[in-house]
Amino acid sequence: MGPERTDALPAAPSPAGLRLHGLSVDGVNQCVHCGLCLSACPTFSLLGTEMDSPRGRIVLIKSLAEGRIDLTDSAVEHLSLCLDCRACETVCPAGVPYGRLIEAARAEIERQRPGGPVRRSVRWLNFGLLLTSPRALALVAAALRLYQVTRLQRLVRASGLLRILPGTLAAWEALLPPLPPAADRAPLPEQIPAAGARRARVALLTGCVQQAVFGAHNRATASVLAKNGYEVVIPRGQGCCGALHAHGGDRARAGALARQTIATFEQAGAEAVVVNTSGCGAHMKGYWHLLADDPAWAARARAFSLSVRDISEQLAREPLRGPLHPVPLTATYHDPCHVVHGQRIRGEPRKLLAQIPGLELVELREADWCCGSAGIYNLTQPEMAGRLLERKTRHVLETGAEAVVTANPGCILQLAQGLRERGAGVRVLHIVEVLNRAYGG
Ligand code: SF4
Ligand code: SF4
């Protein structure tokens, strides 16, 4: 891992400051109530209520942390409607770290309102078992693949059975992408040599759900990195980075998975940790804050966070190496929230796509506006997510593009579902798929 640049990260939070469920919310005091974030907030745009704006939620979080209000049903609703898209952070002149505030608020909601046995069991199944056990996830992926290829899925959908399933199961089923064959889900080799002159050694996060559902994206990422002179190491023993746990308010598991991820990648001896899923990348860049109170891990977490790079950020450091084959395609680009707002990466993906011969890039209206996926928001808040998806797909269709390119599995599933429902033949591609195609993959 590269040398630690502690100057590039803010100071660690004060142990004596405002906290919710042990997480610092001192950032609430940076808000000057100017309201510049209101027009950037998707939920404020749709609902028009102050308590569904960033400024209103900051007041709520501050009041909760100071013990001036209780966590009422209404407070929970306003906080739960937030997408955690962090568009407010991008426009905030006072640098309010909104993403960290809402994660602390969600952890507090989970602490005070864990729900009944059914909800707690479902959370354990997802957060405690599936996301933390690659083996369990692989088994579920294999079973779902069988469900799809045996046409059982078609029968179930035609039978109307989905309408009587409890909770969000029907919504989960609707989002299911075609599960890849076993070869695509298989682990990548531990090391992939650089093609041509070697630039650096980088480690690749293959993730949890990403490897099970979008293993082909991981292969394409490794291949494009190698074509650009990077020796790629894929550390064994890596798993979930804990992003979904942090977003879902499971603070304890998020911390444990962060420690495990840091320890695994430290062994790789790489200059950077490359990530092709935006939520994971943004979360791993924030490990320094998550582990700031742990004296045994704080310095390691800071060094690790500084080494994390989104795939576009890594590749755009130098012009793409040729030869590049033409990819005749009219495409538009959707900015995933946790790339554009969470990591402030806007120009790099466009710069990469512009280098592909034959590809025409047309800009998308409100390209950096959330598509409604937002982790599991589309399952927990289907009505709001549906309105955002409708707005996004309308803009995509206005461009006349044949494909929409993006950089996050959640956005890919959400956009694909929205375009499918509209009967549009627009393809949804991860940027590494397009780059890999330019290299003949
Ligand atoms: S833009 Fe920043 S400082 Fe202004 S109200 Fe929004 S969060 Fe507060
Ligand atoms: S994270 Fe997104 S939805 Fe939440 S307050 Fe900020 S802009 Fe609004």
Side-chain angles (χ1 to χ4, degrees):
M1 212 171 280
E4 185 182 352
R5 304 188 322 266
T6 45
D7 55 315
L9 290 174
S14 151
L18 279 180
R19 291 191 171 238
L20 276 178
H21 195 14
L23 294 165
S24 169
V25 290
D26 273 342
V28 290
N29 292 318
Q30 286 170 239
C31 178
V32 294
H33 312 291
C34 63
L36 286 175
C37 52
L38 268 61
S39 59
C41 174
T43 56
F44 181 75
S45 157
L46 293 179
L47 302 170
T49 40
E50 175 70 14
M51 296 321 278
D52 293 305
S53 78
R55 187 173 58 186
R57 292 187 179 117
I58 287 167
V59 170
L60 264 182
I61 294 168
K62 185 172 178 181
S63 308
L64 276 173
E66 290 174 344
R68 285 189 288 110
I69 61 165
D70 290 330
L71 195 56
T72 58
D73 287 351
S74 161
V76 170
E77 193 187 338
H78 294 303
L79 293 169
S80 303
L81 275 174
C82 173
L83 294 146
D84 192 5
C85 69
R86 297 169 69 177
C88 43
E89 272 190 43
T90 297
V91 297
C92 175
V96 174
Y98 183 84
R100 294 207 291 271
L101 305 181
I102 195 70
E103 282 185 7
R106 294 211 167 135
E108 181 63 16
I109 293 173
E110 284 308 319
R111 187 183 71 81
Q112 289 196 33
R113 296 182 173 220
V118 173
R119 183 178 184 273
R120 288 206 302 273
S121 304
V122 171
R123 271 179 73 84
W124 175 81
L125 193 68
N126 288 327
F127 289 161
L129 180 67
L130 284 180
L131 290 175
T132 54
S133 163
R135 197 169 291 174
L137 203 57
L139 272 175
V140 171
L144 287 172
R145 163 98 182 153
L146 211 61
Y147 168 67
Q148 292 176 332
V149 298
T150 55
R151 302 189 178 201
L152 188 58
Q153 182 176 45
R154 204 178 293 178
L155 272 176
V156 168
R157 285 182 174 180
S159 71
L161 185 68
L162 292 171
R163 282 196 292 276
I164 56 166
L165 286 181
T168 54
L169 275 176
W172 277 105
E173 205 279 344
L175 271 178
L176 266 185
L179 269 291
D184 271 351
R185 299 194 304 269
L188 275 73
E190 220 167 325
Q191 204 152 326
I192 297 167
R198 180 182 176 276
R199 276 183 176 148
R201 175 179 164 97
V202 297
L204 177 65
L205 178 89
T206 49
C208 48
V209 179
Q210 174 74 351
Q211 183 59 25
V213 180
F214 292 116
H217 295 177
N218 285 340
R219 282 172 209 287
T221 305
S223 171
V224 171
L225 281 167
K227 291 269 175 22
N228 280 276
Y230 294 105
E231 177 189 0
V232 185
V233 55
I234 294 108
R236 288 287 177 263
Q238 62 168 300
C240 176
C241 70
L244 283 173
H245 299 80
H247 298 172
D250 189 341
R251 184 194 159 201
R253 283 199 186 92
L257 290 168
R259 290 180 186 91
Q260 185 186 316
T261 304
I262 294 169
T264 307
F265 277 86
E266 280 176 343
Q267 305 298 318
E271 285 181 25
V273 176
V274 178
V275 185
N276 63 12
T277 50
S278 63
C280 307
H283 178 64
M284 289 159 69
K285 285 181 179 182
Y287 277 178
W288 69 273
H289 190 266
L290 184 71
L291 300 180
D293 295 336
D294 185 338
W297 286 86
R300 289 167 76 177
R302 284 180 89 83
F304 180 85
S305 286
L306 288 166
S307 72
V308 176
R309 291 190 199 127
D310 179 74
I311 179 67
S312 293
E313 193 178 12
Q314 182 68 41
L315 289 171
R317 290 161 80 90
E318 313 248 7
L320 289 172
R321 273 193 189 165
L324 290 162
H325 302 289
V327 178
L329 189 72
T330 308
T332 193
Y333 183 76
H334 159 70
D335 293 279
C337 301
H338 284 244
V339 172
V340 69
H341 304 305
Q343 302 181 62
R344 306 290 162 90
I345 296 169
R346 192 182 293 267
E348 289 87 340
R350 292 168 174 83
K351 193 167 139 190
L352 293 171
L353 291 170
Q355 293 173 64
I356 300 177
L359 188 140
E360 187 196 348
L361 187 65
V362 285
E363 269 304 328
L364 176 65
R365 193 144 67 96
E366 294 182 350
D368 63 356
W369 201 258
C370 181
C371 63
S373 168
I376 54 168
Y377 189 90
N378 46 2
L379 302 171
T380 57
Q381 304 289 347
E383 200 260 324
M384 284 286 286
R387 288 169 73 181
L388 288 166
L389 181 58
E390 194 280 327
R391 185 167 173 155
K392 179 64 72 177
T393 48
R394 186 161 27 92
H395 293 334
V396 168
L397 296 179
E398 278 165 14
T399 65
E402 299 160 272
V404 51
V405 180
T406 190
N408 186 50
C411 304
I412 291 174
L413 295 179
Q414 175 84 340
L415 290 166
Q417 191 200 3
L419 291 163
R420 197 167 51 235
E421 280 172 4
R422 279 178 161 249
V426 181
R427 297 174 64 198
V428 187
L429 303 167
H430 194 293
I431 188 166
V432 293
E433 291 183 278
V434 184
L435 291 167
N436 196 34
R437 222 169 119 187
Y439 284 109

